Amino acid sequence: MSELNLQIEELISKEASDFEISKVFKTYFKNYVNSIDTTFESTGGKDFFIKHTKHTDKFLIQLYKYVLRKNFGSYQPMSTSVPISLIALGSYGREELCIYSDIDIMILYEDIKGYNLREIMEEFITLAWDCGLKLGSRVHELSEIEDSVKEDITIKSSIIESRLIYGSKYLWFSYEKVLTTIRKTKQKEFVLEKLEEHKQRLLKYPLKMQPNIKDGFGGVRESNMMYWMANVLYGATNTKQLIGIEYTEEEYRKYRQALEFVFRVRNALHNIARKKQDQVTFDILPDLSSKLGFLNKSRYTKERQCMAKLLNSLHTIHSFSATMIKKFTRTIIFKNENIVKLKESRFKKNLYIVGNTLYTSFNAKPKTLNGLLKELISLPDEVTRFDRSYIYYASKTKLPKTQSKELKKSIKSVLFKPSLYPVIKLLYNAGLFEVVIPWAKVIIDQPQFDGYHQHPTDVHSLKTLKFAQNIEDDYIKSIFNSLNSSQKVIVRLVALFHDIGKGRTQDHHILGERIFKEMGQVFGFDEKLTQLGARLVRYHNMMSFVATHEDIYSEKTILNFTGLIKTEVALKMLYVVTYCDISAVGKNIFNNSTSSLLKQLYLQSLPAFEDENLLNEGARRVEKLNTIKKLERYKNLPNIKKKKINYIASNQMFLRLKAEDILDIALHALNVQNYTYKIVNKPTHLTIRIIRKVPLNLGYLLGKLEFLNIASMNIFKLFDDKKAFYISFSERVDDEDIPYIEKIIDDSFDMNRTTKLLTPIIKKENITINCNHTAYLASMQIKEKDQKGLFAYIARIFDDFGIDIESAKIHTHKNLARDLILIEKNGNFCSQQDEILELMCTDK
């Protein structure tokens, strides 16, 4: 900085232009930013913040001094005599300025005659911007500060973090008096508004596998929030001042260690991205973990170690901040008239149930772990939420060195509670989950980098249990309600512990099965229920896999699947667990398409437990046809029409659809002369239903619609050379686009039409052909990178060869298309498969 001073002085003496001088300032600051990488290697976290803040202070002071020198010349007064103060706000005021964060300052002034203040302030701001500083500036006269705060609460939270950088100390002392008044004015309104703002921010940025470490769960904003409350309600200028008053030194130490790591992560993110970056994304994680000094180990990669420590730090910050914010604000929020209501809500000594929430005193004496669990067991089922006061009380529980028989008995009683989720969530929030369930220690803060799960393993497990406690799908809820109480307990436990084997080197399905058996033995579960639960843990994602990857109407597929599950009860329980597991991944993951596939697999599997012969396609067709014959609409048909329905060519139609739906299609088809179609544009997806007698140019139709992603397609051969096509897409279209789609469908009955299709990359090794899939069907399985127009391209080739597609399952997962096409054996496919593959595939 002294070198900069000399340069500026020399330029001033040479009467250099403002442009030349601003260029020197800009070059200096640019060089400083470029050298930060070296500074970061030797310092991190708060130390770096302070060094960076101090350097920024000096730079701004130098700019300000130059502006004063320029305006006053040889008659420049002492800086404290000029009624201007440069005041740092926000993170800059807290000395937590990150590399690419905005530099928030307030230029405070008092309008004294004799000074050309506005010109000085404008020149300073302009010069700062010209130098490349991201300056967030506000200019206020001392007399207007209080009114400005009244108009905007965000100004108040920024102003209370004020720190003098340079300028008039007389003005600063006057400003400090105003600050004291501001802190004491409308405290309750400020607290309530900030709490609501904070709540909405956490709802927007929950804890996920790519966390936002500034605004999200456990991020810097949570720490800021605690500071704001401490400053306004206690007058504290540093949260450290409340050690021994509101928290112990050990509690504060753990919190500060976690915050220090988050600071280091934030500095490193900015340094790597060379811009403001507050989200830890998967693509930046490798560089981040290296910069923070993590090394690959035989068991854990550096990325996994880094993310695990970050998740742990975020949990620590959130838990401490949320608890202390509640503790700080409880007296100002509490209404005296509620004392009577609180007494009426007394459950036991120091325990109060208000609505569905359990409260206690922040000063309640902690119990032993067994005592706490017995207290939880005694609670009525209406308690579904625990206030922060109770979580804090639970976190201070006296822990045993080993689990006694009595303690294990209490743990079993807790696990068998119908309202298990809120109790487990309490134990988790209080840091007791891994104490009660030692096997869970490994999944705590365990990252998941599979590109599918949005949450860490522990959070995902809790969310899965939550869905088991609150099933939203009516059909699945009816299945759950059909189970007995013991079976419901196992469903909840499997939901909670289905990923208990993760974080180890072994396959988590196999290890999870073993751990569940071990837990059942330790806690005294019924042996049969333990075996059942362990089997469900072993195969907890088998149902979703089969539903989305296999031909669920194949006898072989159903027999293999049901052979693993073994009993109808286990199938029902697995169906519920699968729903909970998928729903816990994220919003709308359990969608209409997934729901339909799982339901069809469930319904197709049920007969296997009643009579294995029903798995035979012919027997199942007869069974469905008998159901159709019982319908009144069928009974009223002329015999010739009944005969046509009886001789519908497609077995798949009888295997896949309900009796009512089959009859609907057949009745529509009876009256079709050329073709008919219906477009259903639901809120979630588009479906096109076509029944045709004249040929359909399928390749053209799908090619023109390749801007939509196909979710599924069924093609059923009916009678009188008629076919039904049901094509569902994974998205809806705008209503004004319906006429355009209608024209495409109409044009698709012109067999001379062609459309230019993109040629997708399909490799031979990614195609599996089975010409003996069933007695009359061949199959083609394609596992290839998802590409627009992939199926349209295949359909056009099949059209050219005169190949009839019986049905198609289109499924995309992790940007990978997994398509299963069932093909009618009419002599055109199997005999020409080599030629077809040559046309379809590429060597690229």
Side-chain angles (χ1 to χ4, degrees):
M1 192 66 75
S2 57
E3 184 182 337
L4 176 64
N5 292 339
L6 292 174
Q7 284 183 282
I8 298 301
E9 286 296 328
E10 186 177 345
L11 287 171
I12 291 173
S13 65
K14 292 180 180 179
E15 297 183 351
S17 66
D18 286 348
F19 175 76
E20 288 180 278
I21 291 175
S22 66
K23 190 176 179 181
V24 171
F25 276 119
K26 186 174 183 178
T27 302
Y28 176 84
F29 194 77
K30 186 178 180 181
N31 291 337
Y32 164 69
V33 172
N34 291 336
S35 69
I36 278 178
D37 210 19
T38 306
T39 307
F40 180 80
E41 296 298 332
S42 58
T43 58
K46 184 67 174 178
D47 285 345
F48 176 83
F49 282 151
I50 291 173
K51 285 185 179 180
H52 183 49
T53 299
K54 294 302 183 188
H55 196 281
T56 305
D57 283 353
K58 291 176 182 178
F59 190 75
L60 287 174
I61 292 168
Q62 197 65 35
L63 290 179
Y64 180 62
K65 283 182 175 180
Y66 164 70
V67 173
L68 290 181
R69 177 76 175 274
K70 177 187 171 186
N71 280 272
F72 288 103
S74 301
Y75 300 95
Q76 181 178 335
M78 297 289 289
S79 61
T80 195
S81 300
V82 180
I84 294 176
S85 289
L86 304 182
I87 298 172
L89 304 176
S91 61
Y92 186 28
R94 295 190 307 271
E95 295 186 320
E96 293 175 4
L97 186 63
C98 210
I99 305 168
Y100 291 97
S101 294
D102 291 343
I103 301 168
D104 295 324
I105 70 167
M106 176 169 64
I107 303 176
L108 185 69
Y109 73 99
E110 195 163 8
D111 196 7
I112 304 298
K113 291 180 180 180
Y115 291 96
N116 193 9
L117 297 181
R118 291 196 177 276
E119 187 174 336
I120 291 172
M121 292 186 290
E122 286 173 6
E123 284 189 21
F124 171 74
I125 293 170
T126 302
L127 182 59
W129 276 100
D130 287 344
C131 292
L133 294 178
K134 291 183 179 179
L135 204 64
S137 60
R138 51 173 81 244
V139 179
H140 288 290
E141 190 172 1
L142 180 63
S143 59
E144 66 182 30
I145 291 291
E146 286 191 55
D147 291 335
S148 299
V149 170
K150 290 174 185 176
E151 292 173 8
D152 189 350
I153 192 174
T154 57
I155 296 177
K156 181 171 181 176
S157 54
S158 180
I159 279 179
I160 61 177
E161 297 173 315
S162 297
R163 177 179 59 81
L164 178 64
I165 302 172
Y166 190 72
S168 173
K169 291 186 179 179
Y170 301 125
L171 191 56
W172 170 252
F173 294 148
S174 300
Y175 175 67
E176 282 189 311
K177 293 177 183 178
V178 175
L179 276 182
T180 302
T181 304
I182 289 173
R183 290 190 183 104
K184 294 179 179 179
T185 303
K186 293 186 177 181
Q187 287 184 328
K188 186 172 183 179
E189 289 85 347
F190 175 77
V191 167
L192 291 174
E193 195 166 337
K194 293 305 289 185
L195 287 174
E196 179 58 28
E197 178 189 289
H198 186 59
K199 176 184 175 183
Q200 295 305 319
R201 187 164 50 242
L202 291 182
L203 288 173
K204 185 178 180 180
Y205 301 107
L207 182 64
K208 291 191 174 183
M209 275 307 305
Q210 300 188 81
N212 184 311
I213 62 168
K214 179 183 177 184
D215 295 312
F217 177 100
V220 175
R221 285 286 185 225
E222 292 221 56
S223 173
N224 296 350
M225 182 70 181
M226 190 177 81
Y227 170 80
W228 294 330
M229 297 301 103
N231 184 278
V232 168
L233 300 175
Y234 292 82
T237 56
N238 190 315
T239 51
K240 190 175 183 179
Q241 294 169 352
L242 298 181
I243 293 175
I245 300 172
E246 293 294 352
Y247 33 77
T248 66
E249 189 169 345
E250 178 62 17
E251 288 173 326
Y252 188 75
R253 183 185 64 80
K254 289 180 180 179
Y255 156 73
R256 286 301 305 185
Q257 284 178 340
L259 189 61
E260 171 68 16
F261 183 71
V262 171
F263 285 160
R264 290 184 63 213
V265 170
R266 192 168 184 227
N267 280 328
L269 281 177
H270 281 223
N271 190 249
I272 294 166
R274 297 293 176 183
K275 63 180 181 179
K276 188 189 293 185
Q277 172 80 24
D278 293 313
Q279 185 178 18
V280 181
T281 57
F282 290 152
D283 59 334
I284 210 169
L285 186 58
D287 287 339
L288 176 68
S289 55
S290 295
K291 188 165 281 291
L292 293 174
F294 290 94
L295 300 172
N296 287 323
K297 295 181 179 179
S298 58
R299 188 171 177 183
Y300 297 122
T301 62
K302 58 186 175 66
E303 292 83 3
R304 184 170 292 276
Q305 296 172 63
C306 179
M307 183 58 77
K309 185 168 182 179
L310 176 59
L311 292 171
N312 179 265
S313 297
L314 295 176
H315 275 295
T316 301
I317 294 168
H318 172 76
S319 180
F320 185 77
S321 298
T323 299
M324 293 309 150
I325 289 168
K326 183 65 183 285
K327 196 175 182 183
F328 296 169
T329 60
R330 69 193 190 283
T331 53
I332 197 169
I333 293 175
F334 189 78
K335 298 176 182 177
N336 291 330
E337 56 266 31
N338 287 338
I339 293 176
V340 175
K341 294 180 182 178
L342 194 62
K343 288 181 178 178
E344 292 173 354
S345 304
R346 185 177 182 274
F347 175 65
K348 287 181 180 178
K349 183 180 179 181
N350 282 333
L351 293 183
Y352 304 89
I353 300 174
V354 181
N356 64 343
T357 306
L358 184 68
Y359 294 82
T360 190
S361 167
F362 275 97
N363 299 315
K365 292 183 179 180
K367 288 184 169 65
T368 63
L369 180 58
N370 195 41
L372 176 72
L373 295 182
K374 286 183 176 180
E375 187 170 273
L376 294 173
I377 294 165
S378 70
L379 295 176
D381 290 340
E382 68 192 65
V383 176
T384 57
R385 187 175 173 276
F386 295 89
D387 181 68
R388 268 287 153 190
S389 56
Y390 195 88
I391 296 172
Y392 183 62
Y393 153 75
S395 70
K396 292 181 170 295
T397 297
K398 300 172 184 176
L399 303 180
K401 292 182 179 179
T402 57
Q403 290 187 352
S404 64
K405 287 184 179 180
E406 186 181 359
L407 178 56
K408 289 174 183 176
K409 186 178 178 181
S410 297
I411 293 172
K412 179 185 175 182
S413 297
V414 166
L415 294 176
F416 275 62
K417 276 181 72 70
S419 55
L420 177 61
Y421 171 72
V423 175
I424 293 296
K425 186 70 186 295
L426 163 73
L427 295 175
Y428 177 80
N429 287 336
L432 298 175
F433 183 48
E434 59 268 42
V435 178
V436 173
I437 309 293
W439 300 271
K441 186 176 182 179
V442 180
I443 69 168
I444 300 297
D445 301 317
Q446 182 65 227
Q448 301 192 88
F449 298 122
D450 55 12
Y452 173 64
H453 290 92
Q454 297 178 14
H455 305 284
T457 307
D458 51 354
V459 176
H460 173 73
S461 299
L462 288 173
K463 286 183 175 291
T464 306
L465 174 61
K466 185 178 182 179
F467 275 97
Q469 201 83 55
N470 305 284
I471 299 172
E472 297 174 357
D473 186 285
D474 291 336
Y475 184 72
I476 295 172
K477 191 172 185 177
S478 68
I479 292 173
F480 179 77
N481 290 337
S482 70
L483 303 173
N484 64 38
S485 58
S486 296
Q487 291 161 354
K488 289 177 180 177
V489 167
I490 295 301
V491 166
R492 288 191 288 267
L493 293 181
V494 172
L496 178 59
F497 297 122
H498 71 283
D499 280 341
I500 194 72
K502 282 191 173 179
R504 285 97 165 171
T505 53
Q506 290 178 262
D507 184 321
H508 82 278
H509 302 87
I510 298 171
L511 191 56
E513 177 185 33
R514 194 172 76 210
I515 291 173
F516 195 91
K517 287 179 181 177
E518 190 177 335
M519 281 196 299
Q521 186 177 9
V522 168
F523 296 130
F525 295 176
D526 176 83
E527 187 175 347
K528 288 185 178 179
L529 287 176
T530 300
Q531 293 294 332
L532 175 57
R535 188 161 69 250
L536 293 177
V537 170
R538 170 73 180 269
Y539 299 113
H540 67 263
N541 59 4
M542 183 58 69
M543 192 170 188
S544 61
F545 179 85
V546 172
T548 55
H549 292 72
E550 304 286 343
D551 174 18
I552 59 177
Y553 304 100
S554 161
E555 177 180 344
K556 182 179 179 181
T557 298
I558 296 298
L559 282 173
N560 286 342
F561 173 63
T562 53
L564 294 173
I565 307 309
K566 296 191 176 182
T567 66
E568 183 177 340
V569 168
L571 174 66
K572 290 181 176 181
M573 295 167 73
L574 181 60
Y575 190 10
V576 177
V577 169
T578 302
Y579 156 79
C580 299
D581 187 13
I582 295 174
S583 298
V585 171
K587 191 176 181 181
N588 298 326
I589 300 298
F590 188 84
N591 51 34
N592 288 338
S593 175
T594 303
S595 174
S596 177
L597 287 172
L598 289 173
K599 187 174 181 179
Q600 286 301 312
L601 176 56
Y602 172 72
L603 294 174
Q604 294 296 327
S605 300
L606 281 177
F609 303 111
E610 299 169 6
D611 184 352
E612 195 169 320
N613 291 327
L614 287 177
L615 290 174
N616 177 273
E617 288 184 359
R620 291 164 73 188
R621 177 191 172 106
V622 171
E623 182 73 11
K624 189 65 65 66
L625 191 55
N626 288 336
T627 304
I628 293 173
K629 289 177 180 179
K630 295 175 185 178
L631 300 174
E632 287 299 319
R633 288 188 296 160
Y634 178 89
K635 292 176 183 178
N636 295 331
L637 290 173
N639 285 335
I640 190 169
K641 292 186 176 180
K642 288 181 180 177
K643 192 172 182 180
K644 286 186 177 182
I645 293 172
N646 294 346
Y647 285 95
I648 287 174
S650 174
N651 265 3
Q652 294 293 309
M653 190 172 179
F654 289 89
L655 299 178
R656 296 183 181 214
L657 302 182
K658 295 178 181 178
E660 289 276 5
D661 295 333
I662 294 171
L663 187 55
D664 280 340
I665 295 172
L667 293 176
H668 278 96
L670 287 169
N671 301 317
V672 171
Q673 297 301 315
N674 293 309
Y675 68 89
T676 185
Y677 62 86
K678 184 177 182 181
I679 299 173
V680 182
N681 195 28
K682 293 184 177 181
T684 54
H685 64 287
L686 171 75
T687 299
I688 298 174
R689 302 170 183 170
I690 301 172
I691 299 176
R692 63 82 174 158
K693 184 171 184 178
V694 297
L696 171 67
N697 192 337
L698 184 61
Y700 175 84
L701 173 66
L702 297 180
K704 296 296 286 184
L705 295 175
E706 67 179 0
F707 61 92
L708 296 170
N709 287 320
I710 299 174
S712 65
M713 182 169 75
N714 288 317
I715 305 172
F716 304 124
K717 202 168 184 179
L718 303 174
F719 43 75
D720 297 337
D721 294 325
K722 296 175 183 178
K723 273 191 174 184
F725 297 75
Y726 275 37
I727 309 171
S728 290
F729 300 88
S730 59
E731 60 205 285
R732 77 185 306 275
V733 297
D734 295 333
D735 291 336
E736 56 263 33
D737 291 335
I738 298 297
Y740 172 66
I741 292 176
E742 289 175 342
K743 186 175 187 311
I744 291 174
I745 296 173
D746 288 328
D747 290 344
S748 298
F749 287 93
D750 181 352
M751 298 305 291
N752 293 318
R753 285 184 178 271
T754 59
T755 183
K756 188 175 181 180
L757 296 174
L758 295 172
T759 304
I761 296 174
I762 306 174
K763 297 182 180 179
K764 283 185 181 180
E765 60 263 32
N766 294 333
I767 295 180
T768 303
I769 293 175
N770 180 7
C771 284
N772 297 307
H773 183 74
T774 68
Y776 74 98
L777 291 176
S779 69
M780 174 184 279
Q781 286 186 308
I782 302 171
K783 184 179 179 182
E784 189 57 84
K785 181 182 178 182
D786 187 35
Q787 302 160 71
K788 287 282 186 184
L790 176 66
F791 196 82
Y793 179 75
I794 295 169
R796 189 177 70 180
I797 292 175
F798 279 18
D799 282 345
D800 293 341
F801 280 82
I803 294 168
D804 286 327
I805 299 175
E806 174 73 22
S807 67
K809 176 184 285 186
I810 315 298
H811 180 69
T812 303
H813 182 64
K814 295 184 182 177
N815 202 33
L816 200 65
R818 293 182 173 91
D819 298 346
L820 174 65
I821 307 170
L822 300 184
I823 304 157
E824 185 177 339
K825 291 183 182 178
N826 58 4
N828 293 339
F829 178 70
C830 290
S831 62
Q832 303 180 83
Q833 58 178 292
D834 291 337
E835 187 178 349
I836 292 167
L837 286 177
E838 284 299 323
L839 283 173
M840 190 182 299
C841 300
T842 177
D843 293 327
K844 292 181 181 179

